[in-house]
Amino acid sequence: DQQVKQNSPSLSVQEGRISILNCDYTNSMFDYFLWYKKYPAEGPTFLISISSIKDKNEDGRFTVFLNKSAKHLSLHIVPSQPGDSAVYFCAASEGGGSNYKLTFGKGTLLTVNP
Amino acid sequence: EAGVTQSPTHLIKTRGQQATLRCSPISGHTSVYWYQQALGLGLQFLLWYDEGEERNRGNFPPRFSGRQFPNYSSELNVNALELEDSALYLCASSPRGGQPQHFGDGTRLSIL
């Protein structure tokens, strides 16, 4: 049973445009969500997170939106740059962010074309 | 500041052998987490250690075990290796039970 789903295995966008990566979850106990970026042969790098008490969090070019009623979150990257090309993972945890294990989606490969 | 370091980078074993993977957390982090990324399966939570104790465990058989040392570094041991254990094993650390978790670059374990 996949509790965190990233239904788009890949996404291709033009440099300078917006990239929107989507993530759905089924476990209503999740209350803290994170996005990680992963380059080949490297470990995941933390990008941005959001608590369930918020519906938006912004950090520079990255914004995460959370829709609790739809159990859906999205990551917006504006403007997209070729260096953003990587696999993006959505992750979720229970326990107000003080828990422990992360449950990951399978990732979306983002390609930003110059 | 040094990040999470893992060793070895690659490990090749045969079926039935034992593997030991090592992880050093970021300085000041007391929690260490282990994840498995097998082909097509995404990252799966294995184990969480904090202050030397196992705090949580994922849905893996008992032949996956580990420990955390007084300096907060950690070992993951996999006994009686099976072909399906071939995967990338990632270690992450955080302040005690906190987020976000910061990952190392992983150990690629190949079972022949």
Side-chain angles (χ1 to χ4, degrees):
Chain A
D1 176 33
Q2 206 180 336
Q3 298 185 60
V4 177
K5 298 178 184 179
Q6 294 177 255
N7 291 320
S8 298
S10 63
L11 174 68
S12 182
V13 299
Q14 286 300 119
E15 181 178 4
R17 305 295 290 268
I18 184 172
S19 295
I20 300 176
L21 297 105
N22 294 304
C23 178
D24 297 295
Y25 62 96
T26 57
N27 186 346
S28 57
M29 297 301 292
F30 288 147
D31 56 9
Y32 196 79
F33 304 89
L34 307 91
W35 285 94
Y36 285 84
K37 175 173 72 173
K38 187 179 185 299
Y39 294 119
E42 294 183 12
T45 301
F46 169 71
L47 273 176
I48 191 169
S49 61
I50 187 167
S51 164
S52 60
I53 62 173
K54 296 185 174 182
D55 54 18
K56 177 182 174 181
N57 189 26
E58 197 170 349
D59 184 1
R61 297 187 298 116
F62 302 92
T63 303
V64 56
F65 295 92
L66 175 62
N67 182 333
K68 288 191 295 291
S69 60
K71 293 191 176 68
H72 176 84
L73 64 157
S74 61
L75 174 68
H76 293 210
I77 306 173
V78 183
S80 301
Q81 300 173 354
D84 296 329
S85 297
V87 177
Y88 287 77
F89 291 97
C90 170
S93 74
E94 304 175 34
S98 63
N99 201 343
Y100 1 55
K101 74 173 193 178
L102 293 176
T103 301
F104 283 85
K106 290 189 176 182
T108 296
L109 173 62
L110 173 66
T111 303
V112 180
N113 301 302
Chain B
E1 177 186 88
V4 177
T5 57
Q6 292 187 245
S7 64
T9 305
H10 294 97
L11 190 56
I12 300 174
K13 295 284 186 178
T14 57
R15 287 179 60 191
Q17 285 188 314
Q18 181 203 26
T20 298
L21 289 64
R22 295 178 176 84
C23 173
S24 292
I26 291 171
S27 177
H29 287 185
T30 62
S31 281
V32 170
Y33 313 80
W34 288 94
Y35 293 84
Q36 181 197 66
Q37 186 179 22
L39 196 62
L41 289 183
L43 283 83
Q44 305 285 321
F45 169 74
L46 259 169
L47 290 158
W48 171 41
Y49 290 95
D50 185 77
E51 298 286 354
E53 307 235 347
E54 182 180 304
R55 302 292 182 178
N56 202 347
R57 182 180 183 87
N59 188 24
F60 282 85
R63 58 191 186 81
F64 286 83
S65 65
R67 54 181 173 166
Q68 187 178 34
F69 300 99
N71 66 353
Y72 304 116
S73 67
S74 177
E75 272 183 4
L76 174 68
N77 295 294
V78 189
N79 294 319
L81 287 165
E82 301 179 2
L83 292 176
E84 55 263 33
D85 297 333
S86 293
L88 179 67
Y89 289 84
L90 290 160
C91 172
S93 75
S94 77
R96 187 174 191 276
Q99 301 286 2
Q101 296 174 21
H102 297 272
F103 284 82
D105 288 339
T107 293
R108 173 73 60 186
L109 177 60
S110 298
I111 312 303
L112 304 179

